[in-house]
Amino acid sequence: MDAALAAIRHLGYVQIDTISVVERAHHHTLWNRARGYRPAHLAQLLADKNIFEYWSHAAAVLPVEDYRFCLPRMRAIAAGQRHWYTPDRRLMKKVLRRIADEGPLRARDFESKPGATKTPPAMWDWKPAKRALEQLFMEGKLMVARRDGFSKVYDLAARVLPPGVDTTPPAGEEYARFLVRRFLRANGLGRAEEVAYLRGGMRPTVAQCMARMAKRGDIVPVQTRGRVYYALPEALKLLERRLTRKRVRILSPFDNLLIQRERMRHLFDFDYRIECYTPAAARRHGYFSLPVLWDGRLVARMDCKAERASRRLLVRNFVSEPCLKNKEAFTSALADALLDFAAFNACDAIEVEPLRDKTVQQLLRRALIERRG
């Protein structure tokens, strides 16, 4: 659990996602960085008030000491910046009063109006109370006290925040410097558009801040693949460290490494697209293909599914990148990674379905048989 908290603090955020074809993205991302991680650890970190839920570029868990740097977004939304819906202030007031009086509540604890249709709502077409809860959450008046399954349990922010948390809104320069340092610490190198990713209107401010930081020597320019990036001076020392290249990492599509797709195309020649939102006939790599990291490169994508009823992990498709040359060494490492990944997904068996890459299919099946003894 300490390692999971350290990972969240280092990354700055871990994205929460609802898709559960394999273990959900927030757990998957932490499992890759914290040995022995289990989903219950995240719930405990939230209960212990070491982390909190809010919006980064998407729904995320963040270290509680960074709470004050979410205040600019909270205040902007409270002042009228649109997030999803037009706020119903009257309903929001009623919802807030009920939680203040009754304590933490879920969306389902708010009854629909009498006579309301029983037809299931379309995706994102939440009932009015859920919209009010989410608006109050985005404005910072409510926070997630815990999760009931995957459902949020909302409470007043004053009752969720631990004592002593700094709630002083950062000034513009301080906020921009925080974003720059946070991104570079987690990602090694970056550009203004990457630091300001999905932060509306922040790119010019971040670019100006980075120019000032570079002039002072707080960050240093580095050139790679024809572009100028910036890095923290201490990050350059990492170039002298040896990488552990033999281990395969099976990544979540929402892993922090991959979330900015254009960055991945430029730095790693990895043109990744998640295809669960693509019609089945148009998919090239599978419903939920997982990027695979090995020998310092993103070498493949693998479509997996955890069949929880039968406790089987299915490998449904595998597509390698041109940089993957030594498939025998790779599949040996992949077999070890799959055994760990299956256990993480509470699966006892791994089934390799017919794959497009017949060489990997044969080598992987053989390696798994050898490891089963």
Side-chain angles (χ1 to χ4, degrees), residues 143-171:
M143 294 181 69
V144 175
R146 63 180 185 277
R147 291 266 181 168
D148 181 3
F150 196 64
S151 298
K152 294 177 180 176
V153 181
Y154 302 86
D155 199 0
L156 301 180
R159 295 199 292 231
V160 175
L161 280 173
V165 170
D166 190 350
T167 57
T168 307

Side-chain angles (χ1 to χ4, degrees), residues 212-372:
R212 289 190 291 269
M213 292 176 72
K215 190 174 182 179
R216 291 192 297 263
D218 297 335
I219 59 177
V220 294
V222 294
Q223 189 171 42
T224 181
R225 311 199 76 171
R227 289 184 183 177
V228 175
Y229 289 79
Y230 287 91
L232 298 171
E234 57 267 29
L236 300 182
K237 298 176 183 177
L238 296 174
L239 295 174
E240 300 170 5
R241 292 178 56 181
R242 293 176 62 87
L243 290 176
T244 301
R245 294 181 175 273
K246 293 183 179 180
R247 184 174 178 183
V248 161
R249 299 280 188 174
I250 301 168
L251 303 177
S252 165
F254 303 103
D255 192 280
N256 296 54
L257 173 66
L258 292 144
I259 204 62
Q260 295 196 38
R261 310 303 195 203
E262 197 282 330
R263 175 182 167 90
M264 289 297 99
R265 281 193 294 272
H266 183 74
L267 289 177
F268 293 96
D269 290 326
F270 192 68
D271 189 6
Y272 179 73
R273 179 182 179 186
I274 187 170
E275 296 180 320
C276 55
Y277 308 113
T278 303
R283 291 177 194 142
R284 298 173 53 219
H285 304 114
Y287 179 81
F288 201 63
S289 64
L290 308 176
V292 181
L293 179 68
W294 181 65
D295 195 23
R297 295 183 178 185
L298 291 157
V299 297
R301 57 202 88 198
M302 178 173 59
D303 189 32
C304 290
K305 182 179 181 181
E307 289 280 6
R308 293 175 176 85
S310 61
R311 299 178 67 89
R312 293 179 304 150
L313 179 70
L314 307 181
V315 180
R316 310 179 77 175
N317 196 20
F318 180 93
V319 180
S320 62
E321 295 293 297
C323 63
L324 180 57
K325 304 298 183 184
N326 189 344
K327 291 188 177 181
E328 189 162 357
F330 166 75
T331 51
S332 178
L334 179 61
D336 292 331
L338 276 169
L339 289 170
D340 289 342
F341 191 57
F344 173 60
N345 281 277
C347 293
D348 300 322
I350 300 169
E351 183 176 322
V352 181
E353 297 184 352
L355 304 178
R356 186 183 309 173
D357 190 322
K358 299 304 179 185
T359 301
V360 168
Q361 174 186 308
Q362 181 181 3
L363 290 170
L364 183 56
R365 284 177 173 174
R366 183 193 305 162
L368 288 170
I369 291 170
E370 289 172 355
R371 281 154 180 77
R372 290 174 187 140

